[in-house]
Amino acid sequence: MKFEEKCGDNGSLVGRNQSYPGEKHQPKGKPITNGEAEFYAKQEANGKCSVPRKRLNMYTWQEIQRHNQEADQWLVINRKVYNVSSWADRHPGGRRVLNHYAGEDATDVFRAMHPEPDIVQLYLKPLLIGELAPGEHSQERHKNSQLVKDFQELRRIIESMNMFHANLGFFFLHFAQILMLEMLAWLLLYHFGSGWPVTIFISFLLTISQAQSSFLQHDVGHLSIFKKSKWNHVMHKFVMCHLKGLSANWWNYRHFQHHVKPNIYPKDPDIDMGPLFLLGDSQPVKYGKKKIKYINYEKQHLYFYMVGLPLLMPVYFNLQSMQVMYLRRYWVDIAWVSSFYIRYFITFGPYYGIFGTVLLIYLVKFLESPWIAYVTQMSHIPMRMSTEENRDWLSTQVLATCNIEQSFFNDWFTGHLNFQIEHHLFPTMPRHNYHKVAPLVRSLCAKHGLQYVNKPMLRAFGDIVRALKKSAALWVDAYYET
């Protein structure tokens, strides 16, 4: 079945007035797209419609689900079918994010990840190839359509409450905290010299600054501070690359995969820790049955303290960031990251020399690492892990995440990632609003029988080790089974 698009009196396309999700931007603020998309955009801006009439197909879910390969990717957004195969390499969030949803309904994930729907309304048009046939459900048949509708209604309510509007004063104070800690470290060094007591003390000050910078870069990386995406991108480069010395592009491509498919193996890179750690229920059994034993995984809950906690930031993240920057030629990130080291050498070099400054940098990363490891892993490692099950957006996020009890200290210590469920459902929401929407999310979960997990922080820390120990036991059983 086919239908024709027609131009209305005002030059708009008839039948194309539904809300579309937004889009990520390049640092210069221009959406990554192709020439055809730019042509559409110009026509819209001029109030004209010289676009040739385009016949669009009607598709069933059975047809759409066949297009889920690396080189053949179709998505469904608001019942419209898009072929993103040729555009995937130019996607600002990386091609893998699109591939993870190829052949599926992506309405809620697109709306969640993109804060500017008007822009993507222009740039999705060249990719449009059809729509769902009239008899087809808006989502795959196995999904709970009422749950999906209820979640979409919840989002509309939250938007009407202005929960996606950032309080710039809040983020200014957070940024000022970081700069004051950095300045205080230098002033102490300037006035009292570089003796061991001062060095130890400023190392802790810089550790706090680095950890809080991690949370701030997380905010701007999710485009949750400024209304214009380009300013979020610029700020992200400054915080992630200049203040922390890590690649912003590397973080984006890695972190967005985690967000769209959390705890889904192998799509979520955060749970693919082999051969060092085996997570969940299926991966340990798989390794065990294949008699894979790179390390004695029976002890992984113990060497987590010696390897996982202290080495996440200074070794794993740092080396991976450098590798990705070099191999993919991220010259802008390389320049920004270089400014991080230059700043440290200028600030601390006169007191410690080049070698001593390098040691200070990695001492701070070493001290920061357990903080970040606990905060990022406590909400996911103890939760459900599985291979792809193609669940609805709400279920996907709630089953894979948990919250930590709220307090002023917990909010500060975790950068409000103690509200991990709300953050995963609404990634572009400013974090100071999580606690306001949490009761609404909890109520929706209760209505549909989804467990909304909220636990004390110390228990959450312990659950990481307990989960590792459980996975280790599964590996042992499978490895030694005759």
Side-chain angles (χ1 to χ4, degrees):
M1 298 177 64
K2 298 183 177 181
F3 71 92
E4 290 188 355
E5 285 185 341
K6 298 181 180 180
C7 294
D9 295 335
N10 62 352
S12 62
L13 293 175
V14 176
R16 301 290 300 283
N17 59 349
Q18 77 277 11
S19 175
Y20 283 78
E23 182 178 45
K24 306 285 181 187
H25 288 69
Q26 293 180 352
K28 292 184 179 179
K30 297 180 180 179
I32 299 179
T33 183
N34 53 28
E36 188 179 358
E38 293 172 0
F39 173 75
Y40 275 96
K42 290 177 181 177
Q43 295 297 321
E44 291 284 330
N46 294 331
K48 300 177 181 179
C49 183
S50 59
V51 182
R53 291 185 177 184
K54 189 176 182 181
R55 298 181 66 83
L56 300 177
N57 292 327
M58 299 285 190
Y59 294 103
T60 65
W61 276 113
Q62 186 177 11
E63 293 174 297
I64 293 166
Q65 288 167 348
R66 289 199 292 264
H67 298 272
N68 63 349
Q69 306 301 314
E70 187 75 19
D72 182 18
Q73 304 177 35
W74 290 10
L75 303 174
V76 177
I77 305 171
N78 290 327
R79 296 188 62 86
K80 300 295 183 181
V81 181
Y82 298 91
N83 184 349
V84 299
S85 307
S86 61
W87 184 74
D89 284 331
R90 298 188 294 275
H91 182 238
R95 69 172 294 114
R96 290 185 180 180
V97 172
L98 296 181
N99 185 245
H100 291 345
Y101 268 87
E104 301 179 18
D105 175 57
T107 302
D108 289 330
V109 62
F110 264 71
R111 192 66 193 92
M113 301 299 291
H114 302 94
E116 296 182 287
D118 292 340
I119 293 177
V120 82
Q121 185 173 357
L122 300 177
Y123 291 96
L124 277 177
K125 287 180 181 178
L127 310 176
L128 179 65
I129 59 171
E131 66 177 5
L132 289 173
E136 292 290 328
H137 292 277
S138 296
Q139 304 84 31
E140 298 90 324
R141 290 183 178 274
H142 69 274
K143 293 180 180 178
N144 184 336
S145 60
Q146 188 58 50
L147 185 154
V148 174
K149 290 178 183 177
D150 287 348
F151 175 75
Q152 292 173 349
E153 177 61 24
L154 172 63
R155 183 176 180 96
R156 284 190 285 270
I157 292 172
I158 290 173
E159 288 175 345
S160 69
M161 296 167 60
N162 293 324
M163 290 294 100
F164 290 90
H165 291 186
N167 181 343
L168 294 182
F170 171 88
F171 290 106
F172 174 80
L173 291 175
H174 187 87
F175 184 51
Q177 168 198 206
I178 294 167
L179 296 183
M180 285 191 295
L181 287 167
E182 297 260 351
M183 181 62 69
L184 180 58
W186 180 82
L187 288 174
L188 288 172
L189 197 60
Y190 178 79
H191 284 285
F192 299 104
S194 57
W196 279 108
V198 174
T199 300
I200 293 172
F201 187 64
I202 69 168
S203 296
F204 281 104
L205 291 179
L206 293 173
T207 297
I208 296 172
S209 173
Q210 283 293 294
Q212 293 301 317
S213 294
S214 293
F215 302 139
L216 183 60
Q217 74 82 22
H218 183 261
D219 296 321
V220 287
H222 277 294
L223 314 178
S224 65
I225 297 181
F226 301 106
K227 291 182 180 180
K228 294 294 184 180
S229 294
K230 65 179 181 180
W231 295 117
N232 285 299
H233 285 300
V234 170
M235 188 67 175
H236 193 215
K237 294 289 186 188
F238 178 81
V239 179
M240 187 60 161
C241 299
H242 179 70
L243 293 184
K244 291 200 60 62
L246 296 171
S247 168
N249 286 348
W250 159 76
W251 183 87
N252 283 341
Y253 295 154
R254 177 189 176 92
H255 193 65
F256 294 156
Q257 289 184 71
H258 160 71
H259 260 273
V260 300
K261 292 291 184 179
N263 283 15
I264 302 298
Y265 185 81
K267 295 182 177 181
D268 180 358
D270 283 5
I271 65 170
D272 187 8
M273 297 185 182
L276 197 56
F277 294 99
L278 304 180
L279 306 178
D281 296 338
S282 60
Q283 190 183 30
V285 173
K286 175 183 175 182
Y287 271 56
K289 288 184 175 179
K290 292 184 177 182
K291 308 304 179 185
I292 299 175
K293 186 181 181 181
Y294 297 114
I295 302 175
N296 184 6
Y297 296 114
E298 187 176 5
K299 307 295 184 183
Q300 67 174 4
H301 61 291
L302 298 177
Y303 65 73
F304 169 74
Y305 291 106
M306 299 176 288
V307 178
L309 289 179
L311 301 184
L312 177 69
M313 294 297 292
V315 177
Y316 181 63
F317 279 179
N318 205 59
L319 291 179
Q320 192 178 71
S321 170
M322 290 182 177
Q323 179 189 35
V324 169
M325 281 193 298
Y326 174 75
L327 293 178
R328 299 187 182 180
R329 303 296 192 266
Y330 293 151
W331 301 118
V332 174
D333 279 17
I334 290 173
W336 273 105
V337 170
S338 298
S339 73
F340 164 81
Y341 289 96
I342 292 171
R343 175 172 59 88
Y344 259 77
F345 288 135
I346 292 174
T347 305
F348 300 104
Y351 304 97
Y352 296 109
I354 294 177
F355 182 71
T357 302
V358 172
L359 289 180
L360 177 65
I361 290 171
Y362 284 92
L363 171 62
V364 171
K365 290 181 180 293
F366 178 83
L367 294 173
E368 177 200 10
S369 190
W371 186 341
I372 299 302
Y374 270 128
V375 168
T376 57
Q377 302 307 311
M378 66 183 178
S379 296
H380 293 297
I381 286 183
M383 301 303 290
R384 174 188 173 90
M385 295 183 185
S386 66
T387 53
E388 181 59 77
E389 296 175 332
N390 189 9
R391 293 178 177 267
D392 61 88
W393 179 250
L394 176 65
S395 301
T396 296
Q397 305 304 324
V398 172
L399 291 173
T401 58
C402 68
N403 281 6
I404 308 303
E405 292 178 350
Q406 185 189 19
S407 70
F408 178 82
F409 176 79
N410 286 359
D411 291 351
W412 174 84
F413 185 81
T414 65
H416 287 87
L417 292 179
N418 50 331
F419 289 96
Q420 191 74 222
I421 294 174
E422 287 70 30
H423 169 61
H424 265 258
L425 291 174
F426 311 107
T428 62
M429 179 182 290
R431 57 170 147 133
H432 52 71
N433 288 332
Y434 292 158
H435 73 280
K436 300 176 184 177
V437 304
L440 300 176
V441 173
R442 185 192 292 266
S443 176
L444 181 60
C445 289
K447 176 180 178 180
H448 290 281
L450 292 171
Q451 187 178 12
Y452 182 99
V453 179
N454 189 37
K455 63 180 74 168
M457 184 183 291
L458 292 181
R459 193 181 111 199
F461 290 171
D463 282 348
I464 298 174
V465 178
R466 284 185 280 272
L468 290 173
K469 190 174 183 178
K470 176 186 174 184
S471 297
L474 292 173
W475 174 82
V476 169
D477 291 344
Y479 187 85
Y480 291 106
E481 124 184 312
T482 56

